[in-house]
Amino acid sequence: MAYFYDEPSHTFSEYLLIPGYSSSECIPANVNLETPVVKFKKGKEPAIKMNIPLVSAIMQAVSDDTMAIALAREGGISFIYGSQSIDSEAAMVSRVKNYKAGFVVSDSNVRPDQTLQDILDLKEKTGHSTVAVTDDGGPNGRLLGVVTGRDYRISRMSPDLKVSEFMTPFEKLIYAGKDTTLKEANNIIWDHKLNSLPLVDEDGRLAYFVFRKDYHSHKENRLELLDASKRYIVGAGINTRDYAERIPALVEAGADVLCIDSSEGFSEWQKLTLAWAREHYGDQVKIGAGNVVDREGFLFLAEAGADFVKVGIGGGSICITREQKGIGRGQATALIEVAKARDEYYERTGIYIPVCSDGGIVYDYHVTLALAMGADFIMLGRYFSRFDESPTRRVNINGTYMKEYWGEGSNRARNWQRYDMGGDNKLSFEEGVDSYVPYAGSLKDNVGLTLSKVRHTMCNCGAMTIPELQQKAKITLVSATSIVEGGAHDVVLKDSATPGIK
Ligand code: IMP
């Protein structure tokens, strides 16, 4: 006979946190949101940690290299979508790894025989006023001089004047070697009162500019997530079909952590994928697996060697899996059970396997609830898709700006590998929709606001770290009537634009 659960499964909106004692030291500025990403042994440090507990979903409409750089800058990780060719996914990973914060490849370059008019045209096109003069007019040619607004006066000079006649020549420039660190470059800029510093290689070829104006923005990102070589940390999605080709390409490109992208992870396909990775890379490659929604699924993936386990079926905003197939579980209930299994596993083996709650975050406080319920970090799709940095188009619909957002199981993405059951290599039916979400601006501003709320709530619970929150949190189910009471009620709102995650 089938197994029947006694209790219905619940989702985040059905829970609230009950405040605990907060000391005067327990203030948002003192909250540390550091969290482990991959498994570790008791008493040891995890090989990868994040500074904030947010990762962006493995989706075409969410995680490309631009998103990955923006999120790593704030302290989280993007998982670059795997529903693209191996080459293009690896190229995205390598663009993130080669990105050097604060080091700009010059986009405004001329040859010395070009004219003042060419400089003016270039300025009009790029909006940038620092122009490199190189022997070939390219960004990495031999640096012969630099032109800025201080080198010419339009009213007094002919537009036909050759650049070589008014540029600041190389001999008079202050420059530094290509391997100068950002800190050293900034010190030189400061000491010499410069606006920009060219960095050149041993043959005098231009490598980068470091700009004074970027100094402050770099210093602002105190939580940015860097590897040992000071490159941004990035994740990438894999599937259970082409892993023998995709994993080596992603590892070669520099991916720090991989994740099997699958709608349902309690399967032999995942075990085979993890076994292949372990056989070829041992512990060198870090791989998360999922998704599961119960204890059994967690234990299966833990034994199969997953570095973290992802939880969630059917709760994603664009997901129609529950309607189409009738599988899934309320996200809160699934997470609570899996986190408990993780804790028992840790107790028994001394190995801590981080749990990622994936999908279904609607309000900022859902992030805090998920952490309190035992998640080490949260994967979000819709949330990130609304920002400038997501790869999708921003469109104006009836006067409101929207961004496109579509599921990996929609006809648009056709990510059949995510739903693969060893069939005929195609998506038999849709499990996701194609949609719009309200445009919300920059990732930095939104993540800042969300995490500010998380920090405040943690302080209300008397917790200054995520593990402390997980220990101290008091969580209650709420009745349907009290859910109504939770929003503004019995008043007429003057401005319906209430700020928040939605
Ligand atoms: P969201 O944050 O609620 O938008 O959920 C994002 C999550 O939904 C992703 O991380 C995936 O786990 C899941 N997902 C992505 N595409 C689909 C789909 O087409 N159908 C069902 N779930 C999906």
Side-chain angles (χ1 to χ4, degrees):
M1 195 183 153
Y3 180 80
F4 287 90
Y5 287 83
D6 292 333
E7 295 290 329
S9 66
H10 297 284
T11 192
F12 294 128
S13 286
E14 295 171 77
Y15 288 92
L16 285 176
L17 285 154
I18 293 182
Y21 169 73
S22 16
S23 72
S24 56
E25 272 171 18
C26 193
I27 56 170
N30 289 344
V31 170
N32 178 348
L33 292 175
E34 201 176 83
T35 196
V37 178
V38 295
K39 72 180 170 196
F40 59 94
K41 286 209 178 90
K42 200 173 193 159
K44 296 265 191 276
E45 280 288 298
I48 304 176
K49 285 196 279 191
M50 285 188 291
N51 294 327
I52 63 170
L54 305 181
V55 300
S56 70
I58 316 169
M59 297 174 72
Q60 292 175 2
V62 182
S63 298
D64 67 352
D65 44 318
T66 306
M67 177 64 74
I69 290 167
L71 184 50
R73 195 176 271 157
E74 300 309 314
I77 297 181
S78 282
F79 283 85
I80 305 273
Y81 64 93
S83 52
Q84 58 178 323
S85 75
I86 294 174
D87 284 350
S88 61
E89 187 181 9
M92 282 188 183
V93 168
S94 109
R95 281 203 289 278
V96 180
K97 296 312 287 186
N98 289 323
Y99 181 85
K100 287 180 79 180
F103 294 83
V104 178
V105 175
S106 176
D107 70 349
S108 304
N109 311 289
V110 293
R111 291 184 316 273
D113 59 335
Q114 289 184 259
T115 62
L116 174 58
Q117 187 60 51
D118 292 325
I119 298 267
L120 298 176
D121 292 346
L122 203 56
K123 191 177 165 203
E124 174 85 27
K125 197 168 121 198
T126 63
H128 297 150
S129 53
T130 302
V131 178
V133 186
T134 57
D135 58 350
D136 59 4
N140 302 119
R142 204 156 59 78
L143 186 65
L144 303 175
V146 167
V147 174
T148 69
R150 292 188 208 162
D151 293 304
Y152 56 84
R153 278 178 86 178
I154 306 169
S155 55
R156 298 223 180 151
M157 286 157 67
S158 157
D160 297 329
L161 197 65
K162 292 258 184 297
V163 167
S164 56
E165 293 179 43
F166 63 90
M167 69 184 187
T168 303
F170 186 68
E171 309 78 64
K172 291 200 176 161
L173 286 176
I174 292 171
Y175 61 91
K178 177 171 138 282
D179 296 324
T180 306
T181 66
L182 192 59
K183 192 159 181 228
E184 289 163 350
N186 282 316
N187 285 340
I188 299 172
I189 287 177
W190 197 253
D191 292 346
H192 296 271
K193 300 188 175 170
L194 306 173
N195 282 324
S196 67
L197 178 74
L199 302 191
V200 296
D201 69 12
E202 48 290 350
D203 300 324
R205 294 181 158 275
L206 178 62
Y208 309 102
F209 274 113
V210 174
F211 290 97
R212 181 188 198 91
K213 66 177 170 47
D214 290 346
Y215 177 62
H216 296 289
S217 70
H218 179 71
K219 284 197 65 171
E220 272 167 26
N221 304 317
R222 59 188 177 85
L223 293 179
E224 67 185 354
L225 196 61
L226 302 170
D227 66 15
S229 313
K230 303 261 181 264
R231 302 173 306 172
Y232 282 138
I233 288 190
V234 62
I238 57 169
N239 62 67
T240 53
R241 279 292 181 113
D242 63 14
Y243 51 83
E245 292 86 45
R246 197 172 288 265
I247 293 178
L250 294 172
V251 169
E252 175 73 14
D256 297 275
V257 52
L258 306 176
C259 184
I260 305 176
D261 179 26
S262 169
S263 73
E264 204 272 287
F266 193 177
S267 78
E268 193 177 354
W269 310 112
Q270 300 236 340
K271 190 173 167 178
L272 293 172
T273 307
L274 290 165
W276 185 91
R278 295 292 167 241
E279 186 189 334
H280 291 83
Y281 292 93
D283 284 341
Q284 289 310 304
V285 60
K286 305 293 177 197
I287 308 188
N291 286 7
V292 295
V293 287
D294 67 359
R295 175 192 161 79
E296 236 184 317
F298 170 84
L299 290 175
F300 173 80
L301 292 177
E303 290 302 332
D307 283 294
F308 65 86
V309 170
K310 207 144 67 70
V311 180
I313 296 179
S317 57
I318 31 51
C319 177
I320 51 171
T321 295
R322 293 184 192 168
E323 285 172 31
Q324 292 282 58
K325 299 202 298 200
I327 60 163
R329 196 172 197 194
Q331 184 65 11
T333 304
L335 176 58
I336 292 165
E337 183 172 315
V338 170
K340 190 157 175 264
R342 184 264 327 271
D343 291 345
E344 285 166 13
Y345 188 83
Y346 180 51
E347 193 69 16
R348 181 158 53 83
T349 64
I351 297 171
Y352 187 90
I353 302 180
V355 163
C356 168
S357 176
D358 177 15
I361 297 293
V362 181
Y363 297 103
D364 291 312
Y365 81 87
H366 287 175
V367 171
T368 326
L369 264 179
L371 295 171
M373 288 171 176
D376 295 278
F377 55 99
I378 327 289
M379 178 172 273
L380 307 98
R382 189 190 64 90
Y383 176 76
F384 286 109
S385 72
R386 304 169 306 143
F387 304 155
D388 290 319
E389 293 82 355
S390 81
T392 72
R393 283 191 308 148
R394 192 180 76 154
V395 287
N396 189 322
I397 312 267
N398 302 329
T400 306
Y401 280 112
M402 301 280 196
K403 292 273 285 188
E404 295 181 309
Y405 180 44
W406 61 92
E408 288 294 296
S410 67
N411 269 335
R412 181 158 181 187
R414 300 212 143 270
N415 180 359
W416 61 266
Q417 290 95 332
R418 189 170 194 275
Y419 303 90
D420 184 28
M421 314 259 333
D424 44 9
N425 300 7
K426 69 176 176 58
L427 199 67
S428 310
F429 49 88
E430 283 186 292
E431 292 198 37
V433 296
D434 192 355
S435 67
Y436 294 117
V437 288
Y439 164 68
S442 77
L443 179 143
K444 186 180 181 65
D445 289 348
N446 283 277
V447 166
L449 179 63
T450 299
L451 295 181
S452 162
K453 291 188 200 173
V454 171
R455 290 190 179 97
H456 276 81
T457 311
M458 285 174 65
C459 289
N460 291 141
C461 297
M464 291 203 281
T465 64
I466 293 171
E468 202 179 350
L469 176 70
Q470 290 166 348
Q471 267 180 11
K472 290 187 171 174
K474 295 180 284 182
I475 305 172
T476 179
L477 264 171
V478 286
S479 71
T481 319
S482 50
I483 290 175
V484 176
E485 189 188 62
H489 59 95
D490 303 311
V491 293
V492 179
L493 290 183
K494 287 188 181 168
D495 178 7
S496 58
T498 314
I501 198 167
K502 266 188 144 174

